[in-house]
Amino acid sequence: MEAHGAGLRRVLVLAFCVAGIWSAYIFQGVLQETVSTKRFGPNNERFEHLAFLNLAQNVVCLVWSFIMIKIWSNGKSGGAPWWSYWSAGITNTIGPAMGIEALKYISYPAQVLAKSSKMIPVMFMGTLVYGIRYTIPEYVCSLLVAGGVSLFALSKTSSKTISKLAHPNAPLGYGLCFLNLTFDGFTNATQDSISARYPKTSAWDIMFGMNLWGTIYNMMFMFGWPTASGYEAVQFCKEHPEAAWDILLYCLCGAVGQNFIFLTISRFGSLTNTTITTTRKFVSIVVSSVLSGNPLSEKQWTSVGMVFSGLSYQIYLKWRKLQRMTKKRKPM
């Protein structure tokens, strides 16, 4: 009975994590799409300063992580010093800014799909720079994802979707997304290096360090000179409180989502987290298509299926590798 109760609790915690990640990030995606495409006020003005979302997100997550450290650290030390994140902070500032700017040029489903192809630049850089050899199944995953994204990009987008974009330009939009992924690759590598050097570093320490430098860099970019775009963004929010409210909710969703991701990784491992976030991206595309009025053609749905088939196969390969490693560790 005790084992049954523990198993039930584990299932309930997993369901709680899935619900938390899905609700936080799906709602954040809706808000992101709303801010980037909606026209505010009687003059139907667009919020053009999308990089401001990253600054706002940095500030909210910085405060949130500081509070969490104070609550949960219990005076523990030994984590990475705050200054060690300065280089990762640069790429983590530029990358997401490019990703969110892409929404001026391509639709939200297209952006989600393009950013789901993270394995492509990772494998490309691994082969080119480090001479890593990948297995045939891994190349199959990569080809499915690359083919799906390419098919989606070449498919005709509905006029209704195009009319919502500030400056429709598919090549520029997809280019920004792939640059975002490239910078993310450098960010992840630097974070892994920091965690290896400072094993006692907690998830909150990483969140604090990354967002501290992100806040500094974004403040310099947005408010570093008298004509910087940050002043216009703040003025727009003053004139259109609805936009300011959407941005605040967007940031809170990101902070809450981070909590559920950390909980999932600590309780169930990174593979479970990858599975949950991958399925969340698919649901985000469906929600955008149904609720936000971004209809997809049959060809585009086929490409979505190709991408998520490739991602699902990649998750299966990771699971199988994990199973083999677990068997090897078991004593004979």
Side-chain angles (χ1 to χ4, degrees):
M1 286 295 290
E2 200 171 308
H4 178 73
L8 180 60
R9 281 195 299 273
R10 186 171 172 82
V11 170
L12 290 174
V13 172
L14 179 60
F16 180 63
C17 290
V18 172
I21 291 173
W22 277 32
S23 56
Y25 285 111
I26 289 172
F27 188 43
Q28 187 185 46
V30 171
L31 290 166
Q32 186 183 58
E33 188 173 8
T34 299
V35 173
S36 63
T37 60
K38 188 176 178 180
R39 295 179 182 272
F40 296 91
N43 297 326
N44 289 325
E45 295 176 271
R46 288 183 183 272
F47 184 75
E48 294 280 356
H49 313 288
L50 296 181
F52 185 74
L53 290 177
N54 288 328
L55 171 59
Q57 179 79 90
N58 285 144
V59 172
V60 170
C61 287
L62 176 65
V63 174
W64 187 284
S65 57
F66 179 77
I67 294 171
M68 292 297 105
I69 288 170
K70 290 299 179 184
I71 292 173
W72 300 108
S73 67
N74 296 323
K76 293 177 183 176
S77 59
W82 62 271
W83 49 262
S84 62
Y85 295 94
W86 72 269
S87 59
I90 294 175
T91 53
N92 196 49
T93 299
I94 298 171
M98 289 181 168
I100 205 163
E101 279 292 311
L103 289 172
K104 292 181 180 179
Y105 311 105
I106 56 176
S107 68
Y108 178 73
Q111 185 228 36
V112 171
L113 209 62
K115 290 177 71 175
S116 297
S117 58
K118 193 171 187 176
M119 69 175 75
I120 297 172
V122 169
M123 290 179 69
F124 178 76
M125 293 296 290
T127 303
L128 193 68
V129 179
Y130 301 107
I132 298 173
R133 291 185 177 182
Y134 296 94
T135 63
I136 291 176
E138 285 174 323
Y139 282 116
V140 170
C141 291
S142 183
L143 285 172
L144 274 171
V145 173
V149 173
S150 301
L151 181 63
F152 192 99
L154 294 171
S155 301
K156 186 179 179 182
T157 306
S158 71
S159 56
K160 185 178 180 181
T161 300
I162 292 174
S163 66
K164 291 183 177 183
L165 302 176
H167 312 288
N169 188 330
L172 180 56
Y174 284 106
L176 287 170
C177 285
F178 286 118
L179 283 172
N180 179 189
L181 293 178
T182 303
F183 278 105
D184 279 354
F186 285 110
T187 301
N188 294 338
T190 307
Q191 285 179 333
D192 290 342
S193 173
I194 291 171
S195 297
R197 290 202 309 271
Y198 303 95
K200 293 182 180 180
T201 302
S202 69
W204 300 119
D205 292 327
I206 295 173
M207 190 175 178
F208 179 82
M210 295 296 292
N211 284 290
L212 172 64
W213 285 103
T215 299
I216 292 170
Y217 295 140
N218 273 309
M219 285 291 288
M220 291 167 61
F221 173 69
M222 300 296 293
F223 298 98
W225 56 93
T227 58
S229 60
Y231 299 105
E232 294 179 11
V234 171
Q235 186 60 35
F236 187 95
C237 290
K238 286 180 180 178
E239 294 174 0
H240 306 285
E242 186 182 353
W245 180 246
D246 285 341
I247 292 171
L248 176 61
L249 287 177
Y250 168 86
C251 297
L252 290 174
C253 284
V256 171
Q258 286 286 334
N259 276 279
F260 281 105
I261 283 177
F262 294 153
L263 177 61
T264 302
I265 292 173
S266 64
R267 293 292 186 91
F268 305 100
S270 59
L271 184 59
T272 301
N273 179 65
T274 301
T275 305
I276 295 170
T277 53
T278 299
T279 51
R280 189 277 304 170
K281 289 175 182 177
F282 180 79
V283 175
S284 291
I285 291 176
V286 174
V287 169
S288 176
S289 178
V290 175
L291 296 184
S292 302
N294 287 322
L296 301 182
S297 65
E298 286 185 16
K299 190 181 288 187
Q300 287 176 318
W301 277 118
T302 301
S303 64
V304 171
M306 287 176 64
V307 170
F308 285 96
S309 294
L311 294 176
S312 300
Y313 189 34
Q314 183 192 37
I315 291 170
Y316 168 72
L317 292 174
K318 286 182 179 179
W319 174 81
R320 201 168 64 176
K321 184 178 179 181
L322 192 64
Q323 292 293 102
R324 285 199 298 267
M325 290 172 64
T326 305
K327 285 181 181 179
K328 285 181 181 178
R329 290 197 196 104
K330 287 181 179 179
M332 297 299 289

